[in-house]
Amino acid sequence: DAKTTQPPSMDCAEGRAANLPCNHSTISGNEYVYWYRQIHSQGPQYIIHGLKNNETNEMASLIITEDRKSSTLILPHATLRDTAVYYCIVRVPITGNQFYFGTGTSLTVIP
Amino acid sequence: GAVVSQHPSWVICKSGTSVKIECRSLDFQATTMFWYRQFPKQSLMLMATSNEGSKATYEQGVEKDKFLINHASLTLSTLTVTSAHPEDSSFYICSARWGPPSETQYFGPGTRLLVL
């Protein structure tokens, strides 16, 4: 049970910001939001995670709404190498709680 | 940091043989590792949780006797596909748990298995 909803596909022009939405309307107070991406024929790559506050690292920014029912992953300047399937996952970060992957969003960056 | 490797990256075998896949955490100790399987154009499916020094926990529907998991050290977990058949052909991916507080998982590059 993935507990998240993402659009199946999106396009983004190279050099523009890519904004990937995720709905997690049933998220509980102690569940974190994690984002991973999977480039074709590779293992998933960790991008970013957060609980309540917006987060930023060298790869992306994560914006979580105040009610925490949705979030947006922002790739500020998309490149062709950002073409991948992006997964949004919510879980409580305790031992024994697994990552269950939904269908994700297939992002295509267009030259 | 937090690098996970897998070996081999590709394996082709005949039906009925067994195949072992290794998963290593290179720069950290992982008491818990996970094994996933991914069929073409599908998402990752969790197969089992591998705990160092104890028996693995399998997801519902995954055959324990077919997919043998051993986690003998803090940096190595192995998945053995016993008596492999063509329907076992898939992309197998492992991950290792990076400690608290976020319990983030880091994934290996995957192993593509083709059973003829």
Side-chain angles (χ1 to χ4, degrees):
Chain A
D1 184 3
K3 302 196 293 186
T4 61
T5 304
Q6 298 177 254
S9 63
M10 292 180 63
D11 292 339
C12 176
E14 188 178 17
R16 304 295 293 268
N19 297 287
L20 293 95
C22 180
N23 284 321
H24 29 79
S25 58
T26 60
I27 192 170
S28 62
N30 56 352
E31 285 185 308
Y32 281 63
V33 180
Y34 300 79
W35 282 85
Y36 284 80
R37 72 180 181 184
Q38 186 178 26
I39 297 170
H40 182 63
S41 296
Q42 297 182 24
Q45 178 188 22
Y46 166 77
I47 301 173
I48 199 167
H49 73 276
L51 179 61
K52 294 180 182 179
N53 300 320
N54 297 337
E55 303 287 346
T56 296
N57 62 21
E58 64 278 4
M59 288 184 67
S61 294
L62 173 61
I63 308 298
I64 302 174
T65 57
E66 192 168 344
D67 63 8
R68 302 209 322 122
K69 292 185 177 182
S70 66
S71 60
T72 301
L73 178 74
I74 301 173
L75 308 178
H77 306 286
T79 70
L80 299 179
R81 286 179 291 184
D82 292 322
T83 293
V85 179
Y86 288 76
Y87 295 99
C88 166
I89 301 166
V90 296
R91 67 183 279 272
V92 178
I94 59 174
T95 302
N97 270 13
Q98 321 308 4
F99 280 82
Y100 291 102
F101 285 77
T103 53
T105 295
S106 178
L107 174 69
T108 301
V109 180
I110 302 169
Chain B
V3 178
V4 177
S5 70
Q6 278 183 246
H7 178 80
S9 55
W10 266 98
V11 58
I12 301 173
C13 69
K14 293 181 179 180
S15 185
T17 61
S18 294
V19 175
K20 180 185 284 189
I21 302 170
E22 293 185 348
C23 176
R24 294 181 185 274
S25 57
L26 297 185
D27 52 1
F28 66 102
Q29 294 182 331
T31 56
T32 306
M33 293 183 174
F34 305 88
W35 288 95
Y36 295 79
R37 180 168 53 181
Q38 186 175 33
F39 293 107
K41 299 193 176 183
Q42 294 187 20
S43 188
L44 282 78
M45 290 172 35
L46 179 65
M47 299 175 65
T49 301
S50 170
N51 298 298
E52 187 265 337
S54 64
K55 291 184 178 181
T57 303
Y58 291 81
E59 294 295 299
Q60 191 173 6
V62 177
E63 300 177 57
K64 301 178 183 180
D65 295 333
K66 182 164 190 62
F67 299 100
L68 301 180
I69 292 172
N70 184 278
H71 193 155
S73 78
L74 289 173
T75 59
L76 174 64
S77 175
T78 59
L79 169 69
T80 301
V81 183
T82 62
S83 187
H85 289 97
E87 57 266 29
D88 299 322
S89 298
S90 188
F91 191 47
Y92 292 87
I93 308 167
C94 73
S95 69
R97 182 174 64 90
W98 177 259
S102 67
E103 300 281 333
T104 301
Q105 287 186 24
Y106 291 91
F107 288 80
T111 297
R112 195 162 298 281
L113 170 64
L114 177 62
V115 184
L116 301 177

